[in-house]
Each structure stands twice: as structure tokens, then as C-alpha cells.
Amino acid sequence: MSQSHERTTRRRTGTWLALLLCLTATLLTTAGTTAPLAAPGVPPPGESVPAVGRVWPVGLRPSVVRTWDPPPTPYARGHRGVDLSAPPGSPVRAVAPGRVSFAGRVAGRGVIAVELADTGDPPLRTTYEPVQASLKKGDEVTAGTVLGTLEASPSHCPTPCLHWGLRRGETYLDPLSLLPPWLLRRGPSRLLPLT
């Protein structure tokens, strides 16, 4: 290799290295000046959910086996829904009016999703699994419409359960926030005298 060719190669390498350093410095200095975006899958602070639910997805007041535990980052550990105790074969109901946006199998489990009516843009979407769906994509539902039956399938719950989820776009939210306080309260109903 000639000396002039070697000098040209060193000069080009030096030029590329200088450009790479400038680009890195520019990216590092501007990274802190732009507004941070919310990571997908992590709820932004103050995300509100309208209490549009009118029924529990299973039973009258099922036991919550595991609560919603949002992950700190999109791919971190967490629980992106609520697990409700229910025996296999239990009817699974839509908690609010909307339209079925998905009914099929995901990773061997039956899943049905309902896009809730009048809940903003993008609309809220509830998911239910493992469910043998009795409806198909596009079907309209009201609160209490039977979506299918709870399947007996391997689960992350210690007992049979329904995994109920809620999302707005790619952001997971607490599905219990859909239910109004009167539906969340424990205890039996009492009949009071009219007078």
C-alpha cells in the first residue's frame, strides 16, 4: 500500500469519526430539550376513564383474584388487567355498550374484544379471556350482552378466572375504573320500607 493511499484512508476515517462524534453530541444535547412522549403501554398521569360499565363481566360481584398492576415501562413485568374468579362455563358479559372488534384465538386462548361506544378517540376497548365467543366481529352489544362462556384453560390464576383488560390505543388502563362506585361496593342489597 502506498503512503498517499494510506494517508487518504486515515483522512477519510478521521472525517467519518468526526462526523459521528458531532452527530452523537447533537443527539445528546437535543434529547433533553424535546418533550418526552408517553411510552406505549404505560398510562399517562391523570388518564381518566368514564364509569360507563353497568354490569360485571362474570357473576354479580366476583372475587378479584389479582388486581391491575401497571408496568413501569412497556415491556416490564406487571399485570395489564384484572383477574375475576369464575367457574368454567360461566357466561361472560359485555360491561358496557359497544361493538365486537375481535373474536378469535390468540396463543391458543379464546379472546373477545369490545370497542366501547362514546368513549373518546381512540375509543376504550375491553378484552376478555379465555372465552369461547358466541358473537363475531362487528356485532353490536349492550351492557349485559353475553359475549360467550368462560373456557377451562390453563391460566396464571390459582383457580379458574376471567382475565379482563382495558386499553385506549396501546395504553393499558384499570378495567375496574369502568365500573361506577355502586357496582364496586361489597355487601348485600337491602330492601327498605317505602315510608
Side-chain angles (χ1 to χ4, degrees):
M1 187 192 267
S2 72
Q3 282 185 332
S4 66
H5 182 37
E6 192 174 308
R7 272 186 267 149
T8 305
T9 303
R10 276 193 213 144
R11 202 173 324 138
R12 284 184 184 155
T13 303
T15 303
W16 281 110
L17 185 57
L19 285 171
L20 182 61
L21 287 172
C22 287
L23 179 61
T24 302
T26 303
L27 289 174
L28 289 175
T29 57
T30 60
T33 61
T34 58
L37 299 174
V42 179
E47 172 75 28
S48 66
V49 173
V52 295
R54 294 294 168 250
V55 296
W56 282 91
V58 288
L60 296 175
R61 178 57 174 96
S63 295
V64 177
V65 178
R66 188 170 175 197
T67 59
W68 183 65
D69 181 20
T73 63
Y75 304 106
R77 291 180 61 118
H79 193 240
R80 295 162 175 85
V82 172
D83 293 335
L84 304 174
S85 180
S90 297
V92 176
R93 302 178 186 283
V95 297
R99 180 186 308 264
V100 175
S101 59
F102 178 84
R105 301 204 73 75
V106 176
R109 302 170 98 185
V111 177
I112 190 160
V114 176
E115 193 173 276
L116 303 182
D118 304 320
T119 56
D121 186 31
L124 292 170
R125 187 173 67 240
T126 53
T127 57
Y128 310 83
E129 66 175 277
V131 175
Q132 178 63 51
S134 57
L135 300 177
K136 62 186 183 314
K137 182 178 178 178
D139 286 348
E140 296 278 338
V141 298
T142 60
T145 299
V146 174
L147 303 171
T149 56
L150 186 62
E151 293 180 332
S153 77
S155 171
H156 57 272
C157 297
T159 60
C161 72
L162 171 76
H163 179 82
W164 176 33
L166 175 65
R167 290 171 68 170
R168 183 182 299 281
E170 295 301 312
T171 303
Y172 291 89
L173 301 166
D174 183 2
L176 290 176
S177 61
L178 285 173
L179 301 179
W182 63 267
L183 204 50
L184 290 169
R185 280 195 286 271
R186 292 185 180 263
S189 299
R190 295 185 319 203
L191 296 176
L192 300 174
L194 293 174
T195 58

